[in-house]
Amino acid sequence: MPKAAMSAAEIHPSNDLPNLDPQLFERPTGASFALAASSTHAPRFLLLYGSLRERSYSKLLTQEAARLLQAMGGEVRVFDPAGLPLPDSAPDDHPKVQELRDAATWAEGMVWTSPERHGAMTGIMKAQIDWLPLNLGAVRPTQGKTLAVMEVSGGSQSFNAVNQLRILGRWMRMITIPNQSSVAKAFLEFDDAGRMKPSSYYERVVDVMEELFKFTLLTRDVAPYLVDRYSERRESAEELSKRVNQRGL
């Protein structure tokens, strides 16, 4: 007869974790989330787009997203990338760099919208994200915050840009929502006034912004807990121990 399956306790005894510091290791529970404060201010969103063209479809799509988020009750900032220097070509205190970083720190969620150029996101889009560090002292401008990704294409529908933006969102330790928008032949989807025409593409943008808004409401108060990690707690404890020992000497 086949051998009975081993129990979870037999496979992974709960007390057999010799490489962990039991004072720093946590067992997550629902109570940890219940302790979070409940914010009452409007959710805050930063929107980035990746083109400097006079009639930029990524900008027009971003503006539609901004209108939707505002209509849902959110507070919105749209960053204009004009004048932002290339990464490492200017000091961190450059006015446009400071504007971008301040907006990222202020935001609780973001929308990144890029044209697809040569099968990828644009350099303008990437430059904005490259100016955002994982840490600004004790402040984390992106970690634990929500993100929605969108793209516009001049030809048939593609997902190259949004796929790359998702990789960047993961690298920046953001909560990238499942839904996304990719608008094909964008030059046909906006009227002369720059407003998006009624279509399934437009309805998808509405869906994405709804989902982003809801995820932001769910996670913004617990974002610090969501990105609290054992490895970082251990490093902090070691650094504190070193400082104590140095003072003792």
Side-chain angles (χ1 to χ4, degrees):
M1 295 182 64
K3 185 178 179 180
M6 297 176 67
S7 69
E10 290 175 312
I11 300 172
H12 299 295
S14 60
N15 60 348
D16 186 20
L17 299 170
N19 297 322
L20 294 180
D21 185 333
Q23 294 182 331
L24 299 175
F25 180 72
E26 293 183 357
R27 179 179 180 180
T29 66
S32 301
F33 294 93
L35 294 175
S38 180
S39 296
T40 57
H41 64 269
R44 302 190 294 254
F45 298 98
L46 171 63
L47 287 73
L48 309 179
Y49 59 92
S51 173
L52 297 178
R53 290 180 176 177
E54 183 175 352
R55 185 172 170 84
S56 163
Y57 295 108
S58 64
K59 180 179 180 179
L60 295 179
L61 185 60
T62 295
Q63 290 173 337
E64 290 293 343
R67 293 184 185 100
L68 290 165
L69 291 170
Q70 287 176 324
M72 294 173 197
E75 188 176 352
V76 171
R77 293 184 188 178
V78 178
F79 179 75
D80 180 359
L84 182 72
L86 289 175
D88 302 325
S89 69
D92 291 351
D93 60 0
H94 186 283
K96 289 296 292 189
V97 175
Q98 285 300 307
E99 178 188 350
L100 175 61
R101 291 184 173 185
D102 289 346
T105 301
W106 164 87
E108 296 166 327
M110 296 190 194
V111 180
W112 295 349
T113 306
S114 179
E116 180 177 319
R117 182 171 296 172
H118 300 314
M121 77 176 80
T122 62
I124 294 166
M125 189 77 237
K126 182 65 161 56
Q128 294 175 78
I129 300 168
D130 284 347
W131 272 118
L132 298 176
L134 286 174
N135 292 286
L136 283 170
V139 177
R140 296 173 170 179
T142 58
Q143 294 187 65
K145 297 181 179 182
T146 54
L147 171 66
V149 296
M150 303 194 295
E151 75 168 82
V152 293
S153 303
S156 58
Q157 191 173 44
S158 172
F159 301 95
N160 291 324
V162 288
N163 287 340
Q164 290 184 325
L165 291 172
R166 284 189 175 278
I167 292 173
L168 282 174
R170 183 169 68 246
W171 186 262
M172 303 303 286
R173 300 176 181 177
M174 302 185 74
I175 304 169
T176 309
I177 66 170
N179 215 342
Q180 63 186 22
S181 169
S182 174
V183 179
K185 296 183 178 179
F187 61 92
L188 297 176
E189 298 302 322
F190 294 86
D191 61 24
D192 293 340
R195 296 303 306 271
M196 197 169 185
K197 301 174 184 177
S199 69
S200 60
Y201 289 133
Y202 177 72
E203 291 186 358
R204 172 59 69 91
V205 177
V206 178
D207 291 347
V208 173
M209 293 307 110
E210 278 188 344
E211 189 171 293
L212 174 66
F213 202 98
K214 293 173 184 177
F215 269 72
T216 304
L217 290 175
L218 284 171
T219 62
R220 63 176 179 171
D221 290 320
V222 295
Y225 177 66
L226 292 175
V227 297
D228 180 51
R229 302 174 183 87
Y230 171 81
S231 61
E232 294 179 352
R233 293 195 298 272
R234 181 185 55 76
E235 290 175 1
S236 296
E238 289 180 354
E239 183 64 27
L240 179 60
S241 178
K242 288 180 182 179
R243 292 178 182 176
V244 171
N245 291 336
Q246 289 172 353
R247 290 175 183 175
L249 294 175

